[in-house]
């Protein structure tokens, strides 16, 4: 793999969803609520099909495939889903500290790789629409959770400082296990205490990040609630 990075380079690997991008709000506003309303899908069936689509690498096309497996007749056609996709606004969910952080990293001499889990075509729509491609050197996607270590493994013997920031403990643990010299940051964006305000809205507002945050971490990672807390 041609990484364009030299063995002595300082390298920053950064996740996209829930790290740079408020994926929960995007999901709620642009996907979940409009899809439930437009296609009259039962909530439990939508959630089941969404989870299955995520495991396969989310895209609207994959979501339709998963709906077809559990609902007969399927509530929408391929053309319906394509039309639905044309109305999605991808460009307003970037966390406000994302670009300033990447600019700072560049000023401090880091090479930057955006390393994201998901279907490349779908992830590109989010990444390119918010313009994050302008601030990184390389963008790579993986459709298998926990597979980011396959990319980071080649940097295990680099002499430059290497930082990996993600909200997913599965990927962080895999990297720390195989590449202990890589500095890992577990980012958990703040949200209201679910134990004290366990409303239905809060459950769906943080539907995805909440489930990810509940996973047990096997290794120690530096923790932060925003990118300003990452020490470059």
């Amino acid at each position: 793999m041609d990484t364009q990075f030299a063995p002595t380079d300082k390298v920053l690997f950064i996740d996209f969803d829930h790290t740079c991008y408020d994926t929960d709000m995007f999901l709620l506003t642009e996907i979940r609520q409009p899809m439930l309303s437009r296609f009259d899908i039962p909530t439990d069936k939508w959630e089941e099909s969404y989870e299955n689509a995520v495991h396969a690498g989310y895209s609207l096309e994959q979501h339709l495939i998963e709906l077809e497996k559990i609902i007969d007749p399927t509530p929408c056609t391929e053309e319906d889903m394509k039309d639905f996709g044309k109305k999605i606004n991808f460009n307003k969910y970037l966390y406000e500290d994302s670009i300033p952080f990447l600019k700072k990293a560049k000023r401090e001499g880091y090479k930057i790789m955006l390393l994201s889990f998901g279907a490349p075509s779908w992830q590109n729509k989010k990444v390119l629409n918010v313009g994050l491609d302008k601030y990184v050197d390389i963008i790579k996607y993986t459709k298998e959770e926990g597979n980011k270590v396959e990319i980071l493994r080649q940097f295990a013997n680099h002499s430059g400082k290497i930082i990996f920031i993600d909200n997913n403990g599965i990927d962080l643990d895999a990297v720390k296990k195989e590449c202990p010299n890589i500095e890992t940051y577990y980012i958990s964006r703040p949200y209201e205490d679910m134990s004290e305000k366990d409303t239905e809205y809060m459950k769906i507002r943080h539907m995805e990040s909440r489930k990810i945050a509940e996973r047990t971490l096997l290794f120690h990672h530096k923790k932060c609630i925003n990118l300003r807390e990452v020490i470059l």
Side-chain angles (χ1 to χ4, degrees), residues 63 69 87 101 164 176:
H63 200 155
K69 293 177 182 178
K87 297 176 175 60
F101 174 73
F164 174 44
K176 182 59 73 174

Side-chain angles (χ1 to χ4, degrees), residues 1-7 9 11 13 111-113 137-138 140 151 154-155 158:
M1 183 187 300
D2 181 11
T3 64
Q4 302 173 21
F5 298 159
D9 283 339
V11 185
F13 297 92
K111 294 293 183 67
I112 304 173
M113 179 185 291
D137 298 289
I138 300 176
K140 289 192 179 294
I151 296 173
Q154 64 188 294
F155 297 90
H158 275 40

Side-chain angles (χ1 to χ4, degrees), residues 69-108:
K69 293 177 182 178
I70 62 176
I71 301 179
D72 185 20
T74 308
C76 56
T77 66
E78 184 176 347
E79 286 303 313
D80 291 333
M81 196 64 90
K82 286 181 179 179
D83 185 60
F84 177 83
K86 294 175 182 177
K87 297 176 175 60
I88 294 174
N89 185 343
F90 292 91
N91 63 13
K92 63 177 184 178
Y93 300 95
L94 193 68
Y95 285 118
E96 63 180 5
D97 59 354
S98 297
I99 290 177
F101 174 73
L102 294 176
K103 286 182 175 179
K104 181 181 179 182
K106 293 297 286 185
R107 288 196 301 270
E108 299 204 12

Side-chain angles (χ1 to χ4, degrees), residues 6-150:
T8 55
D9 283 339
K10 294 191 295 183
V11 185
L12 171 66
F13 297 92
I14 187 166
D15 175 49
F16 181 73
D17 287 306
H18 308 292
T19 298
C20 295
Y21 193 76
D22 190 349
T23 310
D24 281 327
M25 183 55 80
F26 167 77
L27 175 61
L28 175 64
T29 306
E30 304 292 340
I31 307 296
R32 178 190 171 107
Q33 298 306 93
M35 194 179 289
L36 288 173
S37 176
R38 178 167 178 172
F39 301 129
D40 195 26
I41 302 171
T43 301
D44 61 333
K45 298 298 184 183
W46 184 92
E47 291 182 351
E48 180 183 352
S49 61
Y50 174 77
E51 290 294 332
N52 292 339
V54 167
H55 290 308
Y58 188 85
S59 67
L60 291 181
E61 294 78 11
Q62 187 63 42
H63 200 155
L64 178 58
I65 290 171
E66 301 303 333
L67 282 169
E68 290 172 341
K69 293 177 182 178
I70 62 176
I71 301 179
D72 185 20
T74 308
C76 56
T77 66
E78 184 176 347
E79 286 303 313
D80 291 333
M81 196 64 90
K82 286 181 179 179
D83 185 60
F84 177 83
K86 294 175 182 177
K87 297 176 175 60
I88 294 174
N89 185 343
F90 292 91
N91 63 13
K92 63 177 184 178
Y93 300 95
L94 193 68
Y95 285 118
E96 63 180 5
D97 59 354
S98 297
I99 290 177
F101 174 73
L102 294 176
K103 286 182 175 179
K104 181 181 179 182
K106 293 297 286 185
R107 288 196 301 270
E108 299 204 12
Y110 281 85
K111 294 293 183 67
I112 304 173
M113 179 185 291
L114 186 68
L115 186 53
S116 182
F117 165 65
S121 60
W122 179 253
Q123 293 303 97
N124 252 340
K125 290 178 181 179
K126 291 183 284 186
V127 171
L128 300 183
N129 270 279
V130 295
L132 215 62
D133 56 306
K134 301 179 181 67
Y135 303 95
V136 302
D137 298 289
I138 300 176
I139 299 173
K140 289 192 179 294
Y141 303 113
T142 174
K143 290 185 68 175
E144 183 178 346
E145 190 177 37
N147 203 42
K148 292 179 182 179
V149 67
E150 298 298 326

